[in-house]
Amino acid sequence: MNDLSISNATTVRDSDHHCCSCNPIPRVFLYIVIALFLLGLSVSIFIFVVVHNAVFFLSLLALSALLLAFILWNTLNWNSKTAILFFVRSLPDSDLRLARHGQLVKITGLASCGSVSLESSYEKATRCIYASTFLYEYRGFDLKPVNVNTSCFQWSLAYCERFATDFYITDRKSGVRAVVKAGSNSKVIPLVIESKLVNTTRQCRILSPNLRKWLRERNLSEEARLLRLEEGYVQEGSCVTVIGMLHRNNDIVMIIQPPEAISTGCLWQKLLLPVDIDGLILRASQLAGPVNQESIPHPDR
């Protein structure tokens, strides 16, 4: 079993469980851009005052607006994993009968559990190959942030559980069965949508007995407050897509974590900068199994 969660909740931030190894726009680049903008602004103002020509000043403002829009576009898409999803969709499916040892492959097929299976934390869904649970809190003046970098009046990640384990995948192209090494000591990049199960409101912050029990088992506060609990899991029999390196050992076919980070490359048609992905990619087209969000009359809502 592979624990992908963050062990220390006091250092949790929303971006800590992001799938990319680094932001596509480094901070050094932003500092350089700001310095060049200030320099250009001072020069353009000087020209405008001395020569009374506003062309350079207006050109600088237009160029700065375009550059700012480009940076914001890449930042927003990085947070929503757009570049990763586009990379996964654009990569063609591989055939395990023809793929060579050490080749990067994309395999789509049905997943089945290995010797170890998982159970989701809140819904108790069994026979899972991947399970994640995230608890968010809305921080106001009445709540002390778990992280000094967390601002008030925003949702912040307070607790998370995320596990993956080794499983089997049956290639839908060739019918070959392979072992996916997503268990211990493997970096896994999960592209699984979490469903919102609990969402308290300002009008009703009373927590249900099930939620109180879940919080108590994890030594979390049972105080009535604004909470949002999301959970995602991939059960046995789900259709999944795996991207990793093919490893052949006699008659055993395995898909393991690539030894080096994978770059998505520049996606010029979407104006996206390259993003490095370090780990085995696991994508589920939809949440396997029924998800029953608590109804409106329930006190959690």
Side-chain angles (χ1 to χ4, degrees), residues 123 125 233 235 287-292:
E123 283 199 308
Y233 51 84
Q235 283 183 300
L287 191 67
V291 176
N292 299 320

Side-chain angles (χ1 to χ4, degrees), residues 34-278:
I34 293 175
L36 292 176
F37 171 76
L38 294 177
L39 179 62
L41 182 64
S42 59
V43 173
S44 62
I45 292 177
F46 175 78
I47 294 176
F48 177 72
V49 172
V50 176
V51 186
H52 300 288
N53 189 342
V55 175
F56 188 78
F57 178 73
L58 295 177
S59 300
L60 176 67
L61 292 181
L63 182 61
S64 300
L66 290 175
L67 184 59
L68 180 61
F70 179 74
I71 293 175
L72 290 176
W73 171 256
N74 274 269
T75 302
L76 292 175
N77 281 279
W78 179 75
N79 291 330
S80 60
K81 309 174 185 177
T82 302
I84 311 297
L85 294 172
F86 187 81
F87 171 76
V88 172
R89 288 194 296 263
S90 62
L91 200 66
D93 286 335
S94 305
D95 191 331
L96 284 180
R97 293 172 301 184
L98 307 176
R100 303 182 306 275
H101 174 80
Q103 177 182 338
L104 183 70
V105 294
K106 173 188 174 183
I107 304 299
T108 301
L110 296 180
S112 55
C113 294
S115 57
V116 177
S117 62
L118 304 174
E119 182 181 74
S120 66
S121 176
Y122 191 77
E123 283 199 308
K124 302 300 181 183
T126 58
R127 303 291 293 174
C128 298
I129 64 170
Y130 168 83
S132 63
T133 305
F134 297 100
L135 179 68
Y136 297 89
E137 290 183 355
Y138 187 82
R139 307 239 166 240
F141 286 131
D142 55 336
L143 284 178
K144 182 179 179 181
V146 295
N147 184 2
V148 293
N149 296 322
T150 302
S151 303
C152 295
F153 305 109
Q154 70 175 17
W155 288 98
S156 61
L157 183 62
Y159 179 81
C160 70
E161 294 179 8
R162 189 166 55 174
F163 297 95
T165 185
D166 294 347
F167 64 94
Y168 295 98
I169 185 172
T170 303
D171 182 17
R172 66 180 180 183
K173 267 193 170 184
S174 62
V176 177
R177 197 183 192 204
V179 180
V180 180
K181 302 297 290 183
S184 182
N185 300 323
S186 295
K187 292 182 180 179
V188 180
I189 311 300
L191 301 178
V192 179
I193 300 175
E194 283 81 23
S195 295
K196 189 184 298 183
L197 302 182
V198 176
N199 188 23
T200 60
T201 63
R202 295 182 184 276
Q203 289 73 23
C204 184
R205 305 189 184 190
I206 302 175
L207 306 184
S208 68
N210 288 336
L211 182 57
R212 287 183 177 276
K213 178 183 177 182
W214 186 87
L215 294 171
R216 192 182 312 116
E217 290 173 348
R218 287 150 185 83
N219 295 322
L220 299 175
S221 173
E222 301 178 45
E223 177 187 358
R225 58 197 187 278
L226 289 177
L227 293 177
R228 190 175 80 236
L229 189 141
E230 299 178 359
E231 187 168 80
Y233 51 84
V234 181
Q235 283 183 300
E236 186 176 50
S238 304
C239 183
V240 299
T241 298
V242 176
I243 297 180
M245 190 181 74
L246 182 64
H247 180 81
R248 296 184 183 272
N249 186 8
N250 296 328
D251 294 333
I252 301 177
V253 180
M254 293 186 292
I255 301 176
I256 62 176
Q257 170 193 337
E260 298 178 354
I262 307 171
S263 177
T264 61
C266 291
L267 306 175
W268 296 117
Q269 63 271 38
K270 291 186 175 293
L271 298 177
L272 294 177
L273 294 173
V275 173
D276 292 332
I277 313 168
D278 187 13

